Amino acid sequence: MISYNLSHLRELEAEGIYIIREVAAQFERPVLMFSGGKDSITMLHLARKAFYPGKVPFPLLHVDTGHNFPETIAFRDKLMDDLGLKLIVAYVQDSINKGSAVEESGVNASRIRLQTTTLLEALEENQFDAALGGARRDEEKARAKERFFSHRDEFGQWDPKNQRPELWNLFNGRKNFGEHFRVFPLSNWTEMDIWQYILLEKVDIPNLYFAHKREMVDRNGIFLYKSDVLPDKEGEVSKEMLVRFRTIGDMTSTGAVESDADNLEKIIEEVAAARKTERGGRADDKRSETSMEDRKKEGYF
């Protein structure tokens, strides 16, 4: 096993636990967003520590596009059963069925943007006033603008110019009727921190993060899994590749990287040498220069 100086991880852990406890203290109906990815798994691990030996005192929410990797859903459901936690699943397909979201068409069709509508509907239906998310500032430039407590107006929209100061780790959760907060306990973490913490704490993660053979297609320089939900592109040929996923999301937009990293130590070595961010393989981030920020202003995480 590789030896690291991991004292900073305990500082990040303590910070995350403090923020999660602040959410429980300041809000009436918080919810923890859970996708089955490494960041939300880490956030759930912190939440369990925050309230041990009691259970996490708020439910979890997954916005399901219907195009998730089967391994992710299987991992999610088993984890919920093992821990005895309440999971609410909001389906993008339900939003499409009732006409509040419109399915995209064409070779680059995706349900990523539709998640915003489903998320806002779920928050309103359940009257959640704070939603804990696993976003980190190092992931993407729009997310680097977020505070720990990120205010959203009554339409769920985010104004990066209208955020409250957070001096001396004092968090202001005051809100007007209909408004809510997004809270990011992992803001100061990096991808490397997440992986080192998962190794340190022996946290279980989906096997998609480890190298395995899959049938892939190269679409505009992004390796996408050749699944039933990936729109066909004329003349496109798939091939078997040894890959792993640095992020886990919708199969139509989550790219893989060629890799032989089949354990956590190898993943850490690979991340240390990487010259591309983990979201560099996300097709949804490449639709425009401000794709993520536009979605966040609409209500996305």
Side-chain angles (χ1 to χ4, degrees), residues 7 36 42 53 61 77 80 87 89 95 100 204 211 231 233 244 251 280:
S7 60
T42 298
L61 172 64
D77 292 345
M80 295 303 106
L87 173 70
V89 182
S95 299
S100 56
D204 195 20
K233 185 176 182 180
R244 76 174 192 87
M251 288 189 289

Side-chain angles (χ1 to χ4, degrees), residues 20 23 29-45 47 56 58-64 76 79-80 85-91 115-124 126 128-135 143 152 180-186 299-301:
I20 292 169
V23 170
R29 293 183 62 84
V31 67
L32 189 150
M33 301 299 300
F34 188 82
S35 66
K38 65 184 185 304
D39 299 311
S40 63
I41 291 171
T42 298
M43 187 169 58
L44 175 58
H45 187 78
V56 177
F58 38 75
L60 283 68
L61 172 64
H62 181 205
V63 178
D64 190 341
R76 178 201 72 184
L79 184 62
M80 295 303 106
L85 298 174
K86 179 182 179 182
L87 173 70
I88 299 168
V89 182
Y91 295 97
Q115 284 181 294
T116 299
T117 299
T118 307
L119 169 61
L120 294 176
E121 289 174 346
L123 294 176
E124 182 177 5
N126 293 280
F128 293 129
D129 56 359
L132 291 140
R143 286 181 166 167
R152 297 300 201 270
H180 70 277
F181 278 77
R182 308 290 172 82
V183 183
F184 303 101
L186 304 182
Y300 186 70
F301 258 91

Side-chain angles (χ1 to χ4, degrees), residues 13-32:
E13 178 188 65
E15 178 183 68
I17 288 173
Y18 171 70
I19 292 166
I20 292 169
R21 286 174 176 165
E22 278 293 301
V23 170
Q26 293 195 39
F27 297 96
E28 294 181 5
R29 293 183 62 84
V31 67
L32 189 150

